[in-house]
Amino acid sequence: MKDSDSSSNVFESTHPLVRHKVTVLRQTDTGVRRFREVVWELVGLLAYEALADLALVEKQVTTPLTQTTGHVISERVALVPILRAGLGMVDPIWNLLPEAQIGHIGLYRDEETLEPVEYYSKLPPADQVDVCLLLDPMLATGGSAVAACNILKRSGIERIKYLGLIAAPEGIARLHEVHPDVQIHIAAADCCLNDRGYIVPGLGDAGDRLFGTKVEEPARIPPVEEQT
Ligand code: PRP
Ligand code: URA
């Protein structure tokens, strides 16, 4: 894991498995089923790195051979996906941490302004959360992640780690500027945004690729005069 600047709270994974799997996601010929599987695998790897500082307490256990001192996680983790693409990131971490509470934040980007529009929020009580993983595969302008952190902090949830797959420099800078305390864990930092706010080279629309909702270009119906 590379900390782009040791004081910056931005962690881009350098693990070969992560780099390999991001490359699979980027490819247009990776279909919905494979895309979902690879997101699952990648999120597990990123969560492993992002949760490396979880606190432990000692626990005495009895093995078939003897008694020994083990360790158990002592912090309560909440997973909060940003709808809808973040939903594809919940299960791989929930499998690792079955006690985690799940919150939901509904945001979509206005296609004209690229500003986030909030439509839903249901969060676990802040006094039951020690650390919150905010899940969204794409950090583009950063508007959605900033809005989600605002919502989390308004609810009283303070310790937040953003977990994403691909980020643009603009999104990293905006999230870090508004919420410098939020750790940003990503699989890849890309080059830039295009004029429609998409990450380049990126992977396209993460929600559409996860849920198979990409609308193909409609077939051109020839005008009547051509239909002879
Ligand atoms: C995508 C993505 C992020 C957001 C990132 O969601 O999943 O939530 O865009 O863009 P930003 O950094 O510029 O805010 P989208 O708005 O397409 O909604 P969807 O997941 O419902 O498709
Ligand atoms: N949302 C996506 O799904 N992809 C992008 O490249 C930017 C925003």
Side-chain angles (χ1 to χ4, degrees), residues 82-85 107-109 136 138-144 205:
I82 300 180
L83 307 181
R84 83 195 140 132
L107 293 173
Y108 70 88
R109 272 200 326 178
D136 191 338
M138 308 305 277
L139 184 61
T141 66
S144 302
D205 188 303

Side-chain angles (χ1 to χ4, degrees), residues 73-92:
I73 292 167
S74 62
E75 295 188 290
R76 296 158 304 172
V77 179
L79 309 178
V80 178
I82 300 180
L83 307 181
R84 83 195 140 132
L87 283 175
M89 301 174 68
V90 173
D91 282 350

Side-chain angles (χ1 to χ4, degrees), residues 3-133:
D3 184 351
S4 315
D5 147 8
S6 56
S7 61
S8 78
N9 254 350
V10 181
F11 304 91
E12 178 189 0
S13 181
T14 54
H15 200 289
L17 278 171
V18 170
R19 290 189 167 178
H20 176 97
K21 288 175 187 297
V22 169
T23 305
V24 176
L25 285 190
R26 291 189 193 280
Q27 297 169 49
T28 41
D29 59 0
T30 299
V32 174
R33 183 187 177 135
R34 183 76 188 124
F35 191 90
R36 247 196 348 260
E37 286 169 357
V38 176
V39 166
W40 178 296
E41 293 164 356
L42 260 176
V43 169
L45 295 167
L46 289 178
Y48 178 83
E49 292 184 340
L51 295 173
D53 63 351
L54 273 186
L56 298 167
V57 288
E58 289 187 350
K59 181 177 177 180
Q60 301 305 315
V61 293
T62 307
T63 79
L65 304 181
T66 184
Q67 296 205 324
T68 189
T69 305
H71 296 90
V72 292
I73 292 167
S74 62
E75 295 188 290
R76 296 158 304 172
V77 179
L79 309 178
V80 178
I82 300 180
L83 307 181
R84 83 195 140 132
L87 283 175
M89 301 174 68
V90 173
D91 282 350
I93 313 178
W94 208 4
N95 258 21
L96 295 170
L97 290 169
E99 309 294 326
Q101 290 197 55
I102 315 298
H104 295 88
I105 293 178
L107 293 173
Y108 70 88
R109 272 200 326 178
D110 180 297
E111 286 188 5
E112 298 298 321
T113 64
L114 299 182
E115 287 302 315
V117 180
E118 183 184 341
Y119 60 89
Y120 185 76
S121 162
K122 182 85 179 173
L123 299 171
D127 62 3
Q128 295 176 21
V129 177
D130 296 312
V131 56
C132 172
L133 288 191

Side-chain angles (χ1 to χ4, degrees), residues 139-180:
L139 184 61
T141 66
S144 302
V146 166
C149 289
N150 291 341
I151 293 166
L152 289 169
K153 288 185 178 175
R154 266 203 316 268
S155 84
I157 293 175
E158 282 297 330
R159 192 165 148 227
I160 303 166
K161 294 169 186 257
Y162 169 91
L163 208 77
L165 299 181
I166 300 190
E170 293 89 334
I172 294 173
R174 184 158 166 198
L175 178 55
H176 184 58
E177 186 187 328
V178 183
H179 295 290

Side-chain angles (χ1 to χ4, degrees), residues 85 109 138-141 193 196-200 202-208:
R109 272 200 326 178
M138 308 305 277
L139 184 61
T141 66
L193 293 177
R196 290 173 50 230
Y198 275 81
I199 300 173
V200 180
L203 51 73
D205 188 303
D208 283 345

Side-chain angles (χ1 to χ4, degrees), residues 210-228:
L210 269 168
F211 298 113
T213 47
K214 184 157 181 55
V215 180
E216 299 301 334
E217 287 291 313
R220 177 175 170 273
I221 300 172
V224 179
E225 57 272 21
E226 286 180 25
Q227 296 179 8
T228 51

